[in-house]
Structure formats: structure tokens, C-alpha cells
Amino acid sequence: MNEEISKLINLQEIDSEIAGFDQEIKAKQQEIAAREQGIADKEEEAAKCRKKSAALEQEQRDIKAECEDARAHIKDRQNKMMHIQTSREHQALLKEIEDSKRLIKESEDQAVLYMEQIEQLQIKAEELENLCAGEKKLLTEEIEKAEKAVKRIANRKKKVESERGKIAPDLLPGTLHRYDMLLKKRNGSAVVETRNGICQGCFMAIPPQQFNEVRKGDKLNFCPTCQRVLYFKEEETEVCDA
Ligand SMILES: [Zn+2]
């Protein structure tokens, strides 16, 4: 095989490895971000429960004040009752007292309902807050682990990059330039195998005559569709007998 092609294959392997490191790092970062988001969502939910519970508590206080007013009103009307002369006035006061009593009864029923809701909201908020506290602790450990892993990956990447730095200048400047451009344009894959006359980069057929040239490997060949560098790898003919 043409030496330039071998060098390009080698370089592509190295660049794929480097891209793999970047993906590994990104995956770790995304995993952490997703978990942070999960905690933030739960915290928000807990805060909503607390806020709703506080609003209901305020309602309860308002109801209590309303009941006290109603009780005072009843007392006032009961006192008045002792000084009235006519049955019409008597009836009117009785009605006012009855109305106030009904209001108190309704308000107290409502307060009981609120109390139950407040309890449920507070239980839910506490559960979420406990969950968040536990997850945060775990996540801190996970982040430490991930940071160490990222450091290890970055170190491996550095080594491979320095290897690339040694190999790349061996290529003809024009070839290297074309390769670098392709790498950028073709999402990290510039040199691809051909199988059964098909470019493994874009999966389009290569004209038979060109495929023969690729097989021979005497010179650089580019896919007519995606312009990637093409090479042909002899099939492994060894048979493993079980
Ligand atoms: Zn192609």
C-alpha cells in the first residue's frame, strides 16, 4: 500500500481516538448536568409545596380571625337581644346570630380541610428535601470521581495528541491540509474503508474502475460523492477452527 495512505489511515485512527476522548468527557459532563437538573427540579417542587403550604396557613389565620369576629358579633347581638321591644327586632337579631353561627361552622370545616392539605404538602416537601440532600451528597462524590476520570482521559488525550504531532508532519503538506479539511467537514471521518465497492463514509457506490485503483492502493483515491480518502483492507482470510 502507498505509504501516504498508510500514514493517513494511522492519522485517522489517532484522530478518531482523540474524538472518542472528547465524547467520553462530554458524556461525563452531561451525566452530571442531568443529575444536577434532577436535583434542581426536585428543589423547585419542594419550594412550590412550601409556598402553597404557607399560603394555606395564611388562609387559616384569616379564617380564624373571621371566626373571632363572628363570635364577637354573636355576643354583641345576644346582648342587644335583652334590650329589644318588638318581636320583629327579635327575629332579625336571631337571624343574624344564626348566620354568624353558620359562617363559623363553614369556616371551621374549611380550616380542617386546609389543615389536611398543609400536612400533606409539608410531608411532600420534606420528602423531596431529604431526597435532594441525599442526592446532593452522592453527586458531590460522583463529581469528584468524574473530575478524576476526566483528568485521566485528558492525560490520555494529551499523549495521543503528541503522537499525532509527530506523525502529521510526515505527510505531504497538501495531503495533510486536505485531510484536515475533510476531518472538519465530514464530522471527524476523513479516511474510510471501501467494502464491496461501497464507500463506508457515505455508503455510495464507487465506479468499478476507481474501486480497482483503491484496491491496488498505489495512489490516493477520493470518494466521488463525499471526497473522503478511500482505502481497501484485505479481508482476514484466517479461519478460526473451533
Ligand atoms: Zn463517500
Side-chain angles (χ1 to χ4, degrees):
M1 192 188 279
N2 175 304
E3 208 186 326
E4 201 74 350
I5 299 175
S6 309
K7 283 178 194 165
L8 277 175
I9 293 170
N10 203 0
L11 192 58
Q12 175 68 73
E13 271 172 12
I14 283 175
D15 280 331
S16 296
E17 210 181 340
I18 291 171
F21 293 144
D22 290 340
Q23 264 171 8
E24 262 184 82
I25 290 172
K26 207 171 152 195
K28 293 235 177 278
Q29 287 164 341
Q30 276 172 346
E31 196 191 308
I32 299 280
R35 291 185 55 179
E36 278 171 341
Q37 187 58 53
I39 292 175
D41 288 348
K42 282 196 194 85
E43 276 176 336
E44 201 188 320
E45 177 81 24
K48 266 188 203 159
C49 288
R50 293 277 182 214
K51 203 176 158 192
K52 218 168 161 185
S53 158
L56 288 178
E57 278 171 320
Q58 183 56 51
E59 294 253 17
Q60 269 195 323
R61 281 193 292 273
D62 292 346
I63 285 175
K64 210 177 157 192
E66 224 174 68
C67 288
E68 268 161 29
D69 285 349
R71 281 193 195 96
H73 190 69
I74 290 172
K75 216 171 232 172
D76 177 70
R77 290 307 181 255
Q78 280 167 342
N79 283 338
K80 252 193 187 153
M81 199 103 84
M82 302 191 211
H83 310 291
I84 53 159
Q85 317 277 318
T86 70
S87 129
R88 227 186 86 216
E89 276 177 307
H90 182 82
Q91 285 302 321
L93 285 177
L94 265 183
K95 188 176 179 305
E96 272 188 51
I97 288 168
E98 281 314 306
D99 285 349
S100 291
K101 278 184 178 168
R102 198 180 326 112
L103 179 85
I104 290 169
K105 172 80 177 69
E106 281 169 8
S107 299
E108 279 173 349
D109 287 349
Q110 187 61 53
V112 169
L113 284 180
Y114 282 158
M115 175 87 90
E116 283 166 8
Q117 285 176 23
I118 288 166
E119 265 175 34
Q120 279 169 4
L121 285 165
Q122 283 176 348
I123 286 170
K124 197 176 167 195
E126 208 175 316
E127 274 174 7
L128 286 164
E129 283 159 359
N130 283 339
L131 218 59
C132 284
E135 279 182 26
K136 267 186 186 168
K137 205 176 155 223
L138 270 178
L139 189 60
T140 311
E141 291 164 19
E142 291 287 322
I143 287 173
E144 268 175 41
K145 265 192 221 161
E147 276 169 357
K148 276 183 196 159
V150 166
K151 236 179 223 171
R152 279 198 301 272
I153 296 165
N155 277 338
R156 268 157 58 210
K157 188 181 160 188
K158 229 184 205 168
K159 271 184 203 157
V160 175
E161 274 174 340
S162 91
E163 209 178 310
R164 187 196 201 271
K166 283 178 210 155
I167 286 171
D170 277 353
L171 282 153
L172 296 171
T175 311
L176 183 61
H177 180 68
R178 188 161 184 177
Y179 168 86
D180 282 336
M181 296 274 287
L182 270 169
L183 200 68
K184 235 184 243 167
K185 255 180 28 191
R186 297 282 175 245
N187 205 18
S189 119
V191 182
V192 294
E193 209 185 325
T194 45
R195 263 181 233 153
N196 304 319
I198 306 285
C199 162
Q200 296 300 301
C202 65
F203 299 101
M204 297 299 282
I206 299 148
Q209 202 185 334
Q210 194 186 6
F211 183 54
N212 281 336
E213 281 179 22
V214 175
R215 267 185 104 127
K216 272 192 234 155
D218 293 336
K219 66 176 192 72
L220 285 186
N221 266 284
F222 301 94
C223 169
T225 310
C226 69
Q227 280 80 46
R228 287 180 175 97
V229 179
L230 300 172
Y231 70 93
F232 180 80
K233 204 165 79 184
E234 287 296 337
E235 285 292 314
E236 304 274 334
T237 45
E238 259 178 73
V239 177
C240 290
D241 287 315

